[in-house]
Amino acid sequence: MTAEMAAGVDTNLSSLEFWARPRSVHHEAFRWLRENRPVSWHGPPEALDPNLDNARGFWSVVKHAHIREISRRADVFSSADGVFVDDFPQLETMLSFIVTDPPRHTEMRNIVSVAFTPKHTRKVEEDTRRTVREILDEVAPRGEGDLCELITKEVPGRVFATFFGIIDRERIQYVMDLAEQLGSWSDPEYSHIGSPLAVFADASARLGALALEMAKERKARPTDDLMSWVAAAEYEGQKLSVEEVGVFFALLAGAANDTTRHSMAHVLALFAQHPDQLAYVFEDFENRSEDAINECLRFEPPLMHFRRTALSDYEIGGETIKEGDKVVLWYMSGNRDGEVFPEPDRFDVTRPTKYNPHQAFGGGGPHYCLGSHLGKQMLRAEMWEIYTRMKDLKVGERDIMLSNFMNGVKRLPATWTPERRA
């Protein structure tokens, strides 16, 4: 009998059955692992697909400090062989520099960063606020509906469409639907497409084709949108190729879209459970909203893990990770580490940001999320519009996606007092 079994704790992170259980079970498993086996070996992930090469097991890293250490050692822990605990051979190439190691990763990131001039950043923020207001103009008068479908999916979908310069409603919907599919490979609602591998491949291929088509257009005929800015950006004489621009925007439309969507759904659910904390935030929204958003991201990070592959042997947490081993960094566990966060299972928007080093955007290092500022800015704009315009908002239970990667919310029913149209 294992120590986990003796303690009555299920730590079978390799099993889809484990991930189908309530989130409280997952947090209990990670709590036990942090206290007893902070670096632990697990068998191969349950076979999601006969075509997936999941024959190897993986190391689970669950403590905040260890996640931080590994994230900063790109010289030892590579992203190039994949970033999911489940292997998607060759398909992860569409994830741009997320699956690229330095020095090329550094070069690509620097080039993209050049596009975010102060002028461009202001335009992006203005476009975001305008888009949120337009969506609330449509939603606030309704009085009821699924907030995921009406708001949390729509906002990042439309915002990222403006980055592409897409204005056609059908094409915007096309991108939003593919973004949703991209992160839902193991959820049964997408099984009609085929195996998990087929679900991911279908979404990535179609997103990639659209992004490449538009990247070619922007290289030839630049306009005033983010894709054109990135296509024109240059750092130390280097530019992204047309293919790299396309892949970057496929990543943006997929990964960044979904993470923002699910984060906002969790924000709404958390404040429905803690109305006193919502009231506290809105007593001084300007000065308290940043702390509140960071606490929401700590408590419910949109991504549960990213993976690395060891390039050489490495000692950590009393274990020896061997060259070639898969290493999974569990952000949802690092964010509940009691050595870093007092009362980690308590939602508390009064935690000052400077004392809230959550890992919702990664553990730091070269792969720290490039869009973290934009994502938080979008959440802030949504919070303001929703809570000032949708009076008496009552939010139902979250319908959680089946996944070991995305902390996703599929549906979030709600009612509110309809806003009178002007």
Side-chain angles (χ1 to χ4, degrees):
M1 177 181 292
T2 65
E4 296 98 310
M5 292 173 62
V9 179
D10 181 3
T11 60
N12 187 8
L13 309 184
S14 304
S15 166
L16 257 191
E17 182 181 351
F18 171 84
W19 292 105
R21 300 180 70 183
R23 193 66 84 217
S24 59
V25 173
H26 309 151
H27 287 308
E28 178 59 28
F30 285 120
R31 184 183 304 110
W32 191 93
L33 288 171
R34 285 193 301 271
E35 294 172 356
N36 298 278
R37 296 173 59 208
V39 179
S40 58
W41 179 258
H42 298 258
E46 188 174 86
L48 299 180
D49 189 301
N51 298 310
L52 292 181
D53 179 19
N54 280 325
R56 292 180 297 156
F58 60 94
W59 291 100
S60 278
V61 178
V62 297
K63 289 190 68 64
H64 188 281
H66 292 158
I67 293 170
R68 185 176 184 275
E69 178 180 341
I70 289 173
S71 298
R72 285 161 167 74
R73 293 298 308 270
D75 58 323
V76 177
F77 296 99
S78 169
S79 299
D81 285 340
V83 293
F84 309 139
V85 65
D86 301 302
D87 285 312
F88 288 105
Q90 87 268 344
L91 293 175
E92 288 184 332
T93 56
M94 68 81 58
L95 294 179
S96 186
F97 48 74
I98 281 184
V99 289
T100 307
D101 290 328
R104 185 52 182 158
H105 171 271
T106 307
E107 294 170 354
M108 294 173 71
R109 190 178 177 106
N110 286 339
I111 294 168
V112 170
S113 297
V114 167
F116 286 88
T117 64
K119 177 184 176 182
H120 290 165
T121 299
R122 284 194 301 272
K123 184 178 187 304
V124 165
E125 292 177 351
E126 290 166 3
D127 288 345
T128 297
R129 288 192 294 268
R130 186 190 68 250
T131 299
V132 173
R133 286 194 297 269
E134 290 172 352
I135 290 171
L136 266 292
D137 286 344
E138 300 165 9
V139 174
R142 295 173 64 110
E144 64 177 352
D146 173 12
L147 297 179
C148 289
E149 197 65 31
L150 294 175
I151 300 177
T152 70
K153 179 180 176 180
E154 283 286 319
V155 168
R158 292 200 208 176
V159 167
F160 290 120
T162 66
F163 295 168
F164 281 93
I166 300 174
I167 57 175
D168 177 71
R169 178 62 209 182
E170 287 189 9
R171 184 172 268 195
I172 292 173
Q173 189 66 46
Y174 179 76
V175 172
M176 289 193 299
D177 290 344
L178 287 178
E180 181 177 17
Q181 177 183 326
L182 192 69
S184 307
W185 62 79
S186 59
D187 193 275
E189 291 192 18
Y190 285 88
S191 61
H192 64 281
I193 295 173
S195 67
L197 180 64
V199 172
F200 187 92
D202 176 68
S204 63
R206 290 196 283 159
L207 262 179
L210 174 62
L212 179 59
E213 173 191 336
M214 300 200 70
K216 290 177 179 177
E217 291 176 5
R218 292 302 183 276
K219 280 278 192 179
R221 293 177 294 279
T223 57
D224 193 21
D225 55 49
L226 185 57
M227 178 172 268
S228 298
W229 304 337
V230 171
E234 182 175 324
Y235 182 81
E236 295 184 347
Q238 298 290 317
K239 286 188 171 186
L240 297 184
S241 67
V242 172
E243 291 74 18
E244 287 171 335
V245 173
V247 167
F248 172 71
F249 275 86
L251 166 69
L252 192 63
N257 191 322
D258 259 9
T259 52
T260 309
R261 167 198 175 168
H262 296 307
S263 291
M264 190 62 216
H266 286 300
V267 168
L268 291 164
L270 286 169
F271 281 123
Q273 296 169 356
H274 302 276
D276 56 325
Q277 299 205 45
L278 177 63
Y280 167 83
V281 173
F282 271 81
E283 287 171 3
D284 187 1
F285 187 80
E286 185 66 27
N287 293 308
R288 295 175 178 175
S289 56
E290 181 181 4
D291 291 347
I293 288 168
N294 279 309
E295 176 65 355
C296 290
L297 290 167
R298 181 194 73 83
F299 209 75
E300 293 285 5
L303 299 180
M304 294 187 281
H305 80 262
F306 263 136
R307 173 192 132 209
R308 301 289 187 265
T309 301
L311 299 176
S312 60
D313 292 1
Y314 193 85
E315 300 280 341
I316 188 169
E319 300 287 351
T320 301
I321 295 173
K322 296 291 188 181
E323 179 182 351
D325 284 354
K326 293 163 63 172
V327 182
V328 179
L329 310 177
W330 293 103
Y331 305 131
M332 65 182 296
S333 176
N335 278 1
R336 301 279 182 119
D337 191 334
E339 293 183 6
V340 179
F341 307 99
E343 298 184 80
D345 295 320
R346 181 169 64 89
F347 179 67
D348 181 9
V349 297
T350 68
R351 293 179 198 269
T353 292
K354 64 180 179 179
Y355 300 125
N356 188 355
H358 66 77
Q359 297 178 324
F361 297 117
H367 285 279
Y368 188 79
C369 178
L370 184 64
S372 58
H373 173 76
L374 173 61
K376 289 195 285 187
Q377 194 273 335
M378 198 179 304
L379 295 176
R380 190 172 187 270
E382 288 185 78
M383 280 183 65
W384 176 258
E385 292 294 327
I386 289 170
Y387 290 117
T388 58
R389 298 181 60 178
M390 297 173 69
K391 305 299 184 183
D392 305 312
L393 180 63
K394 294 181 175 58
V395 178
E397 293 295 319
R398 287 167 280 190
D399 182 5
I400 300 296
M401 177 191 300
L402 175 58
S403 176
N404 62 10
F405 175 70
M406 185 75 71
N407 184 16
V409 182
K410 296 191 292 185
R411 282 171 286 273
L412 189 65
T415 61
W416 59 94
T417 300
E419 181 181 72
R420 293 189 177 183
R421 296 183 184 274

